[in-house]
Each structure stands twice: as C-alpha cells, then as structure tokens.
Amino acid sequence: MSAENPTAVGERPLAEAAASLSVRGLEKRYGPTRALAGLDLEVEAGTICALLGPSGCGKTTALRAIAGMERPDAGEVSVGGRSLSGPGAFVAPEKRRIGMVFQDYALFPHLDVKGNVAYGLGRRPDPRRVAEVLELVGLGMVADRPVHQLSGGQQQRVALARALAPTPELVLLDEPFSNLDAILRERLRDEIRGILAGAGVTALFVTHDQQEALSLAERVAVMRDGRIVQAGTPEEVYTRPASRWMAEFLGEVEVLPGEATGGRVECELGSLRVEKGHSGPVSVLIRPESLAIGTTGPASGQEAEIVGRHFYGHDQMIRLRLRSGRELRSRRLGFPAWHPGDRVKVWVDGPVDVLDGD
Ligand code: ATP
C-alpha cells in the first residue's frame, strides 16, 4: 500500500482510538515571561488541527504541556475525556497515549528504519505492527536501511510511523516540515495529510507558516501572546478574521474606512455587499485577490494607475494608485503582464469582510 492510499492496514485502522483534545485555561510562566496565558483549545476526534502563531507566541510550550513534557502552572488538559493534567492530576508523558513528531525527526542514527519504528513499541515490539505502519507511510521497501541513508522527507515519515505505531489517541507534530526544501515540503505535506486523515487520527501540528496551516489543516487555531485569538476552518479564519491583526497575520489585506448599513458598505471602491448586522463606521478588509483590474470594467470600477508590479510566476502582485492617492494591491494570475504607468479600472470581485469601528 502506498502513502497515497493509506486508509486501513488489513482490517485494522491505524488509530483505533482517535480522541478529542480539550485544553482549558493553560498557564505557564518562565520567570517574567508568560508563555501560556490562559490557553483554551478544543480539537474534535479525528481532526487535523494547526496551531499557528508568530515566533515566541507559545506554540511549542503548548505542545510540550499537552504531551506532559512541561508541567503547566494552571489549567487542564484532557484527551478523550481523560484528565491528563489539572488540579491534583498529572499523567506522565509515557502514559498519555500521545505520539510526538519533532522538527529534527529525533531518530536514532545507529538503528535502521524498522528499529526506529519498533522503538516506540516497548520491549517486545510486534514486527507485524512495525511492517504495518511502514507500509502505511510508504516505506515498507526501506525497512532495513540505516536512517541516515534516507532523504529528509523519508526520515520525517519514519518519525511519523514511530509516533503512530503504538496507536496513540493523539499525535502532536512540532514544525514537522521546517527542515525541508520548498518542493519536498509541499509533497510531504500532502503525504502526511493523507496518512493522518486516512488513519483517522487526531493531530495537532505547530507551525508559523500560514500557507502550511491553511492548506494542511481542517481546523486552524491562531495563537498570540500565549492564548488562542481565533479558531475555525481555514476558510473562516482567512475570510472572516476576528481582528485586523488576524487579517494581516494570515495574508496581505487592504483596509479601507467605510460606512455600513443594511448589508452594504460604502467605501472608496463603491457600494459593496457585506454580511448583515454592521452599521456605522467600519473597516473594510479586502484581500488583493478580491481586487480585479482591467482596461475596461464595470461601471462601479474606479480609475487607477499601476505604480508597481512583482511577478511571481504563477501570479503577480500589482500596486495601484487611486485618484485619491490611496494605494492598493491586486493579485492576479501571472498573465497578462501589467506595467507601471498603465491606466486601468479596479473593482471588487470577491469576498469582502468588515470589522466594526474604523
Ligand atoms: P517559535 O515559533 O519561535 O519556536 P513558539 O511560539 O514555539 O516560538 P515558545 O517556544 O513556546 O514559542 O516560547 C514562548 C515564550 O516562552 C518565548 O518568549 C520563549 O522565549 C519562552 N520560553 C520557552 N521555553 C522557555 C524556557 N525553557 N525557559 C525560559 N523561557 C522559555
């Protein structure tokens, strides 16, 4: 069986006991640093969730506290309804039924691939189980190879196989792709998503890479200063950010002042349809991909001049100046090529979000 079709091995699903994760009010201080400041996080059984946040926001501390490698100062962690850490309770890491995959793989260089996977299975590892998980991650053919002969992507799959071998209830992955080059990273991302989803295992992975979180996870929990600021599906957090910080953290965004009433907002780009329920002064959030340009355009289009362009191959980011002098960015496919000095029309062609207040 290949990694592309990793549903079940024989009759046995890989994770027999995918469980939900519940984290409530987790606190952790290191001297004056408040690494976790009341972290709340719920992950449903069988879901792949990304814990996304800027450097230093507490992601690794959160993962280590969930795994039991770090003792929180306050708060609770439970998996499948079983309290692992909380008032009067602290289950040792090896008794938590949690698998860990680290950024640097943390494999044993003196063991071969199957030896590394067997390591997770205690003193008398079942060779059939080792073979099963290696098949599942698509490495059955290299079971006898020393791990140092494998590529980075293969080594990370060995690490995942080792974490999955004891049928954990939850798998935690700490920046699992950060040591890989861009092409391998994307391929391994797909493979690992296939393995985790096919196995039905609950997974929480830490990343500071927005695209990685949005493309790999079913749920994204965004963390800032030791707590979750928003959680939802990738589409929800991207298209309906809860704050300007969230909008800017997840990608490029233009913010225009507007006046909302009855499901519409008036702003410099005209009258736009938005979610009902907003009224008065608002900030209008427009992603560059929602701004269309053309030499002709709808009547609502505003006149603009192109003042800059970055070409990325598959797409281009075009900088525009409106008559008012306001500059905006429009993301278009890589063709046709636009040039500074071109006069165009610009109009909104995509989702727009508003935040109350200006
Ligand atoms: P990165 O993406 O850069 O790895 P992160 O979001 O994983 O960051 P953490 O590593 O959890 O963040 O760190 C959160 C804060 O706690 C940081 O200010 C960090 O310096 C601090 N910190 C983490 N571990 C320790 C420690 N063992 N001793 C002292 N301070 C620590």
Side-chain angles (χ1 to χ4, degrees):
M1 186 179 293
S2 74
E4 280 72 40
N5 182 22
T7 39
V9 179
E11 290 302 302
R12 190 152 77 129
L14 188 82
E16 289 151 336
S20 59
L21 166 69
S22 174
V23 175
R24 303 245 167 97
L26 218 54
E27 303 262 349
K28 180 73 192 176
R29 267 184 187 280
Y30 297 107
T33 307
R34 212 171 161 208
L36 300 177
L39 182 88
D40 294 316
L41 177 66
E42 303 287 330
V43 183
E44 273 179 36
T47 305
I48 302 175
C49 178
L51 189 58
L52 170 69
S55 182
C57 73
K59 303 179 297 292
T60 298
T61 306
L63 219 59
R64 289 172 59 82
I66 294 166
M69 296 155 75
E70 203 71 70
R71 232 176 229 269
D73 301 329
E76 292 174 49
V77 175
S78 51
V79 172
R82 184 167 71 111
S83 175
L84 299 180
S85 131
F90 188 80
V91 175
E94 64 278 11
K95 301 230 163 76
R96 291 196 173 199
R97 299 198 62 196
I98 292 178
M100 281 290 282
V101 177
F102 300 95
Q103 180 174 348
D104 60 359
Y105 323 133
L107 298 175
F108 301 110
H110 59 287
L111 296 179
D112 60 13
V113 168
K114 61 180 180 342
N116 268 279
V117 175
Y119 184 85
L121 290 173
R123 251 189 258 160
R124 263 190 249 137
D126 177 354
R128 284 171 311 175
R129 182 67 186 150
V130 174
E132 267 177 5
V133 280
L134 282 177
E135 280 303 312
L136 188 111
V137 300
L139 292 178
M141 303 289 281
V142 295
D144 298 320
R145 282 236 205 118
V147 286
H148 66 80
Q149 286 183 9
L150 303 185
S151 69
Q154 287 173 322
Q155 290 189 29
Q156 194 53 297
R157 281 190 278 151
V158 176
L160 182 60
R162 182 178 62 187
L164 291 172
T167 56
E169 293 180 326
L170 171 70
V171 178
L172 305 175
L173 304 99
D174 192 0
E175 300 268 5
F177 310 105
S178 58
N179 282 343
L180 305 168
D181 67 54
I183 292 174
L184 191 57
R185 190 184 259 239
E186 193 143 336
R187 213 181 64 210
L188 189 70
R189 227 187 260 175
D190 279 349
E191 286 175 3
I192 288 194
R193 181 181 42 200
I195 294 164
L196 294 172
V201 71
T202 311
L204 179 65
F205 78 97
V206 155
T207 181
H208 62 267
D209 181 325
Q210 291 84 345
Q211 285 189 5
E212 193 160 285
L214 295 172
S215 63
L216 175 56
E218 296 160 277
R219 303 275 304 171
V220 177
V222 181
M223 199 172 166
R224 185 185 187 194
D225 296 338
R227 58 166 70 99
I228 303 296
V229 288
Q230 189 174 359
T233 64
E235 285 81 4
E236 276 165 5
V237 295
Y238 186 75
T239 58
R240 292 205 297 281
S243 66
R244 182 165 173 165
W245 182 87
M246 269 289 298
E248 287 173 344
F249 178 64
L250 287 175
E252 286 94 358
V253 66
E254 299 296 353
V255 183
L256 280 73
E259 190 75 20
T261 169
R264 298 201 76 85
V265 62
E266 300 293 330
C267 69
E268 208 174 328
L269 290 171
S271 172
L272 309 173
R273 194 202 298 262
V274 290
E275 261 190 6
K276 290 208 172 88
H278 298 277
S279 77
V282 291
S283 295
V284 184
L285 308 181
I286 306 174
R287 299 278 184 202
E289 61 270 23
S290 288
L291 275 183
I293 57 171
T295 43
T296 58
S300 60
Q302 306 292 310
E303 287 183 13
E305 181 185 342
I306 294 178
V307 291
R309 171 188 185 245
H310 283 289
F311 179 64
Y312 297 107
H314 42 69
D315 62 13
Q316 54 187 322
M317 188 71 96
I318 299 140
R319 219 151 38 80
L320 307 155
R321 188 178 298 130
L322 298 178
R323 275 191 170 167
S324 65
R326 178 185 295 281
E327 290 197 3
L328 299 171
R329 287 160 298 175
S330 164
R331 192 197 305 279
R332 301 284 92 193
L333 288 178
F335 58 90
W338 296 95
H339 304 285
D342 287 353
R343 299 206 158 267
V344 293
K345 274 201 155 188
V346 52
W347 66 97
V348 174
D349 184 22
V352 170
D353 194 28
V354 292
L355 293 172
D356 288 328
D358 52 2

